[in-house]
């Protein structure tokens, strides 16, 4: 059983994971990114972890939930990281260090620990168009792998769910994800290469149709911020289903 000693507002609860790994972590919170007071949603913080007896130096993201309903959201998300998508950790999705649970001030509490992904600064003179096209291609391949694993993300219209690790895409936040039987790979375009054929749209997967139309319409989105463009295109296209 793994444990996590979390320094939390002057209080240091010992949380435990059902994971078979025998690792004892210490953790420190550095900055709170998002709070959701009064909502059954986890709060998100930046921090660091280390193994017991060492300094907490590995940068991570903490998703913390207090109360039964918010904890259920964390457990739901963790099930996808740990079961359905475990083979994609560190490549398509962030590395997951575990879900640790216990009580804080007598209330159920959980902390999901994920790799912190950070973008590599661009080099002077770097080919922005070529870099963005490759980012989008890899994102497309990554989402297809998620679908092949039997998972629908259900939240890609938000740009906060598409981030960079170095120059590579990572897809995050599976709190709204669902199990999914995908009917095949990316659907075929019409000859024009601009829209998915109407009959294919009826039988195809909405997320993958939106993905292919996003890529196909522009032939690669040439923009300083491909993440925002992908999210906006997803939001517009998913409204058609």
């Amino acid at each position: 059983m793994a444990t996590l000693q979390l320094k939390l507002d002057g209080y240091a609860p010992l949380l435990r994971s059902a994971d078979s790994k025998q690792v004892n972590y210490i953790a420190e919170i550095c900055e709170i990114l998002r709070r959701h007071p009064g909502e059954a949603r986890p709060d998100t913080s930046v921090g660091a972890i280390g193994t017991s007896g060492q300094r907490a130096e590995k940068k991570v993201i903490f998703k913390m939930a207090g109360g039964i309903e918010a904890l259920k959201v964390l457990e739901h998300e963790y099930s996808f990281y740990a079961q359905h998508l475990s083979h994609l950790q560190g490549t398509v999705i962030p590395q997951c260090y575990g879900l640790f649970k216990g009580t804080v001030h007598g209330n159920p509490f959980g902390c999901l620990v994920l790799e912190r992904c950070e973008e590599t600064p661009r080099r002077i003179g770097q080919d922005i168009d070529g870099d963005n096209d490759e980012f989008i291609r890899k994102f497309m391949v990554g989402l297809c792998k998620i679908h092949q694993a039997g998972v629908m993300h259900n939240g890609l219209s938000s740009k906060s769910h598409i981030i960079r690790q170095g120059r590579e895409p990572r897809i995050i936040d599976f709190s709204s994800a669902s199990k999914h039987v995908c009917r095949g790979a990316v659907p075929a375009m019409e000859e024009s290469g601009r829209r998915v054929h109407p009959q294919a749209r009826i039988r195809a997967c909405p997320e993958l149709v939106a993905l292919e139309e996003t890529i196909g319409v522009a032939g690669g989105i040439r923009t300083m911020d491909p993440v925002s463009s992908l999210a906006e295109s997803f939001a517009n296209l998913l409204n058609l289903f």
Side-chain angles (χ1 to χ4, degrees):
M1 176 182 291
T3 64
L4 179 75
Q5 188 86 49
L6 179 65
K7 296 180 180 179
L8 187 68
D9 296 330
Y11 182 60
L14 182 65
L15 308 177
R16 291 178 170 81
S17 168
D19 197 301
S20 59
K21 297 177 184 177
Q22 299 295 319
V23 182
N24 297 317
Y25 292 112
I26 57 171
E28 296 180 358
I29 297 172
C30 301
E31 179 186 0
I32 297 174
L33 298 180
R34 285 182 294 275
R35 284 188 182 274
H36 303 285
E39 298 182 48
R41 298 172 60 190
D43 296 334
T44 305
S45 299
V46 173
I49 61 170
T51 54
S52 183
Q54 297 182 351
R55 294 181 60 185
E57 295 182 334
K58 183 182 290 294
K59 295 179 180 179
V60 295
I61 294 292
F62 299 117
K63 298 187 74 171
M64 297 177 292
I68 294 175
E69 294 306 314
L71 186 54
K72 286 180 180 178
V73 175
L74 269 193
E75 291 171 337
H76 175 80
E77 180 169 13
Y78 177 65
S79 71
F80 288 96
Y81 276 106
Q83 300 173 26
H84 311 289
L85 302 175
S86 60
H87 62 295
L88 300 179
Q89 289 187 27
T91 54
V92 176
I93 65 176
Q95 187 74 32
C96 178
Y97 297 97
L99 173 62
F100 300 85
K101 296 186 287 186
T103 59
V104 172
H105 302 306
N107 297 313
F109 183 87
C111 181
L112 178 63
V113 185
L114 301 168
E115 170 189 19
R116 183 182 179 184
C117 298
E118 298 180 286
E119 181 175 358
T120 301
R122 295 184 187 275
R123 302 186 305 273
I124 296 176
Q126 185 172 350
D127 178 5
I128 294 175
D129 285 348
D131 182 51
N132 288 349
D133 287 348
E134 182 63 6
F135 176 88
I136 292 167
R137 185 192 70 80
K138 289 179 178 179
F139 167 79
M140 176 175 177
V141 171
L143 184 58
C144 287
K145 288 181 178 179
I146 288 173
H147 277 249
Q148 289 167 3
V151 176
M152 175 91 80
H153 186 280
N154 295 318
L156 290 174
S157 57
S158 169
K159 70 177 183 179
S160 63
H161 298 164
I162 309 165
I163 61 175
R164 290 182 186 266
Q165 169 63 356
R167 307 306 303 166
E168 305 292 314
R170 291 289 185 273
I171 299 172
I172 64 171
D173 194 344
F174 291 86
S175 56
S176 298
S178 57
K179 295 179 182 178
H180 172 57
V181 178
C182 201
R183 297 184 179 182
V186 179
M189 288 287 190
E190 291 182 312
E191 290 185 5
S192 65
R194 302 186 69 84
R195 303 294 292 178
V196 172
H197 189 279
Q199 291 303 312
R201 179 187 293 279
I202 293 172
R203 63 178 181 270
C205 165
E207 271 193 345
L208 292 186
V209 170
L211 171 66
E212 188 170 359
E213 291 192 345
T214 300
I215 302 303
V217 169
I221 300 171
R222 299 184 178 276
T223 173
M224 290 291 290
D225 187 6
V227 170
S228 295
S229 297
L230 279 167
E232 182 178 357
S233 296
F234 267 113
N236 292 336
L237 288 165
L238 287 172
N239 287 334
L240 300 176
F241 290 86

